[in-house]
Amino acid sequence: MLNNFREKPEPSNIFSQSRILVLTLFIFLLGLAIIIRLFNLQIVQNSFYSTLASEKHEVYKDLFPERGSIYTRENGELYPLVTDRNYYLAYAEPVKVESPKKIVDSITSILGLEEEEWQDLLGRLSKADDPYEPIMHKVTKLQVDQIEALELDGIGFLPETFRYYPETNIGGHIFGFVSIKDDQKVGQYGLEGYFNDELSGKSGIIKSIRDALGSLITIGPRSIQQAEDGADLVLTIDRNVQFQACQKLEEFHSYFEADGASVIIMEPTGAILAMCSFPDFVPEFYNEVEDINYLNNPAIFQPFEPGSVFKAITMAAGLDTGKVEPETTYVDEGEVKVGPYTIRNSDLSSHGKQTMT
């Protein structure tokens, strides 16, 4: 008689089924983890990662405007006494320099490096793992051409702009200077400071998209806002009158060994033809002044009592109104009281009967 019986599974089949079950469970849990992670990234922290992605894939490049120039006049022509001038920053990549001494020996005479400067440069170029070292600012185009002709490895140049003053000692107080503040060029003192916004202009900006390798995507969205160059200033200052006034003032300042001296030359309309003060300073080297007070313009910054120079104005008014004549007399008693004040002659003496002349 045949008995009913169920065939027992092979041990190997049981192992295979268990492995499939574990694998299925693992895939399920992995998928669940991915879904949770994506939910967290795309929903919960969407704003954070959107901002992060924007910073990684969008390019912002400032377009810097040209700073306005400051002009004076001479015989109807305009002369720039303050303007921008293009220079270069010379720099080195020590990691690419095979012979630091050769580099230093080659560029020392061209750049006019002093002994301390070239010794310091030699030490910095000897750092084999150093990717960047600045060498000198305000390198001229002629110097750049001379160095490039030497074909030195690891030496490069970057264009840069500095304020340029073609003529010195003819009114540093009027112009002021431009310094670096928070990585921005800012005018300080004088016209540079007062009209900084007008001279500076407005920076432009380029906004574009780049790929993962950092290259611009030419077909991607982009916007360009052009920079607006600064306005020029045209002064009433006459270049020739200014030069003569400053030259004579410097002579008298030195001759009398005065603490300070100022001169202002005006037209009857009020237009300033010349304004000069000493001690003066060179705007290009404003940081070398001995006293920060030298940066203020004494001609308009410090109070001054007109004294006897005002007598001519008083006399002109008297003659104009017919109140006095050149021969009109008065008694000089040496002083006059005005309210609680006593005004005395400069020599503290009285001179008796005197004419208006």
Side-chain angles (χ1 to χ4, degrees), residues 63-67 197-204 225-231:
L63 300 177
F64 297 102
E66 290 188 9
R67 191 173 181 88
D197 291 342
E198 291 80 1
L199 289 166
S200 297
K202 295 182 180 179
S203 297
Q225 180 180 335
Q226 297 293 342
E228 296 181 17
D229 291 340

Side-chain angles (χ1 to χ4, degrees), residues 154-212:
I155 301 297
F157 303 92
L158 291 173
E160 57 182 3
T161 302
F162 283 90
R163 217 59 170 148
Y164 177 60
Y165 306 87
E167 301 179 20
T168 58
N169 294 325
I170 64 167
H173 292 107
I174 297 177
F175 307 129
F177 56 87
V178 175
S179 64
I180 303 297
K181 186 177 182 180
D182 298 329
D183 295 328
Q184 297 290 330
K185 293 182 178 180
V186 179
Q188 298 191 58
Y189 293 85
L191 296 172
E192 293 276 27
Y194 191 83
F195 291 103
N196 180 65
D197 291 342
E198 291 80 1
L199 289 166
S200 297
K202 295 182 180 179
S203 297
I205 191 171
I206 292 179
K207 180 180 179 181
S208 186
I209 307 296
R210 62 184 179 186
D211 58 24

Side-chain angles (χ1 to χ4, degrees), residues 114-128:
E114 301 291 340
E115 182 177 355
E116 292 183 0
E117 293 175 322
W118 68 256
Q119 286 182 347
D120 173 69
L121 180 60
L122 180 61
R124 289 189 287 127
L125 295 187
S126 299
K127 302 175 183 177

